[in-house]
Amino acid sequence: MKLNILGCYSATPRVNTNSTSQVLEIKNHLFLIDCGEGTQVLLRKHKIKFNRIKHIFISHLHGDHFFGLVGLISTFRLLGREADLHIHAPKGLKEVIVLQMKLSESWTNYNLFFHELTATTSQLIFEDDKVEVHTIPLDHRIYTNGFLFKEKPGERKLDMNAVLNANIDVAYYRKLKQGFDVPNSNGQLIQNTTVTLPPESPKSYAFCSDTAYTEAILPIINNATTLYHESTFLEQHSKLANPTKHSTAKQAATIAKLANVQQLILGHYSTRYHDLNQFKIEAETIFENVHLAKDGKVFQF
């Protein structure tokens, strides 16, 4: 997986900070996660190909997470896009976007599909032969979901020395990768596990946008490869986190530890803070493998 952080700050964008948007590359997909103001400019800045984005996932309808969407949709039209575009978002976003297109008489020349989310329990919202995407119900001031992106288990790998020694015809290689026992050239049935190796463990990425501390998400994100969890405040300002339904760095680290994830990425910082390293220091008192999101930063895992 490859994660491009386009923007990772809360509230309004500033000269040197951008509101939330990310691009996740997973199994030949390019998923856009949230679309804060100016996202399309950041896509250009970081040389991410617009036409590869087929699915957009919007966590909630606060402006710093979707105000860039109508501009991006419009730009796709101006660029002559033909591919379908799917938007997975809370109910209400379709109404907002359709009204803007209606009043500006700027309907798309490509198919635009809205998949409206209303469920308060985790739902499978996208699936193909390689990837699944599930919602992560969060606890914010309005209806909000995070998203869990999961690779499906891959095929087994051929142990070519063992395959050749077993005298297995090339016509059966595909079956071996799929886990079947196959006959060799002498008609002897060869056990799959003796000539193949297990696939790499599937990876997963949990994106937890704006949320108060909630352990209800633990069963969904348990053992994730990477967790992105908002950390709007430091613990010294926890009195601000509670009424606004946000989290502190310490709370994000606690979730990471309880969920047994491999690594934690912090983000959605309040612009009141000038030294982001304070977030890392605070989180590391609870959880060891902590990274700071930064506009333009790329993570590979």
Side-chain angles (χ1 to χ4, degrees):
M1 293 188 189
K2 182 178 179 181
L3 178 67
N4 289 268
I5 305 291
L6 303 181
C8 61
Y9 285 80
S10 65
T12 59
R14 298 188 177 187
V15 174
N16 296 314
T17 66
N18 298 283
S19 47
T20 303
S21 59
Q22 305 182 358
V23 174
L24 179 68
E25 188 169 350
I26 172 175
K27 295 294 185 182
N28 295 320
H29 288 289
L30 216 59
F31 292 142
L32 179 62
I33 309 170
D34 277 348
C35 191
E37 186 177 342
T39 291
Q40 63 173 312
V41 176
L42 297 171
L43 288 169
R44 291 183 185 278
K45 179 179 178 180
H46 299 293
K47 297 180 172 57
I48 296 171
K49 295 182 179 179
F50 281 37
N51 62 345
R52 288 192 58 200
I53 297 173
K54 304 294 195 304
H55 292 264
I56 299 175
F57 299 86
I58 302 296
S59 61
H60 65 297
L61 300 187
H62 280 159
D64 55 332
H65 295 261
F66 84 95
F67 275 172
L69 184 58
V70 71
L72 182 61
I73 290 172
S74 177
T75 295
F76 280 147
R77 172 179 174 268
L78 294 174
L79 293 176
R81 181 187 179 101
E82 296 180 354
D84 296 348
L85 181 63
H86 296 263
I87 299 175
H88 309 261
K91 184 176 181 180
L93 183 61
K94 178 180 179 180
E95 181 181 357
V96 172
I97 299 299
V98 168
L99 179 61
Q100 289 176 306
M101 291 191 297
K102 175 183 176 181
L103 295 179
S104 62
E105 297 184 5
S106 56
W107 299 106
T108 62
N109 53 351
Y110 55 90
N111 292 323
L112 181 60
F113 297 99
F114 288 89
H115 305 270
E116 296 187 304
L117 307 177
T118 59
T120 56
T121 57
S122 181
Q123 304 288 312
L124 176 65
I125 59 173
F126 173 82
E127 182 180 22
D128 64 9
D129 59 339
K130 294 184 178 179
V131 177
E132 291 182 354
V133 183
H134 299 256
T135 57
I136 306 171
L138 299 175
D139 181 13
H140 195 40
R141 300 192 304 278
I142 62 173
Y143 177 74
T144 304
N145 288 297
F147 302 101
L148 177 66
F149 302 85
K150 297 172 59 177
E151 295 178 343
K152 290 186 175 181
E155 294 184 330
R156 296 186 66 82
K157 299 178 180 180
L158 299 180
D159 181 344
M160 286 310 302
N161 287 333
V163 169
L164 294 174
N165 289 335
N167 200 24
I168 298 173
D169 190 274
V170 67
Y172 288 107
Y173 286 6
R174 182 65 179 159
K175 284 289 187 182
L176 286 175
K177 290 180 180 180
Q178 294 173 341
F180 292 97
D181 300 333
V182 300
N184 67 4
S185 299
N186 301 321
Q188 178 186 1
L189 187 65
I190 304 299
Q191 296 295 311
N192 183 276
T193 54
T194 65
V195 292
T196 65
L197 302 171
E200 293 182 4
S201 298
K203 298 174 183 177
S204 59
Y205 173 59
F207 171 81
C208 290
S209 175
D210 300 19
T211 183
Y213 178 86
T214 172
E215 295 182 6
I217 67 175
L218 294 177
I220 306 170
I221 68 172
N222 190 50
N223 294 321
T225 307
T226 300
L227 167 65
Y228 173 94
H229 195 290
E230 76 118 286
S231 55
T232 307
F233 300 105
L234 293 172
E235 193 66 22
Q236 69 190 74
H237 296 123
S238 59
K239 64 182 180 181
L240 299 176
N242 295 331
T244 58
K245 293 280 189 173
H246 284 298
S247 297
T248 67
K250 183 178 180 180
Q251 289 173 331
T254 302
I255 291 295
K257 182 176 181 179
L258 293 174
N260 194 38
V261 303
Q262 293 182 24
Q263 64 177 339
L264 168 66
I265 301 174
L266 300 176
H268 200 264
Y269 319 107
S270 167
T271 51
R272 73 179 59 238
Y273 302 105
H274 301 291
D275 180 12
L276 297 184
N277 200 49
Q278 296 177 74
F279 287 84
K280 189 173 189 291
I281 292 171
E282 179 174 293
E284 284 179 336
T285 63
I286 303 294
F287 184 79
E288 183 175 327
N289 195 7
V290 179
H291 304 274
L292 296 176
K294 182 179 179 181
D295 292 3
K297 190 170 184 177
V298 177
F299 294 91
Q300 291 187 319
F301 48 91

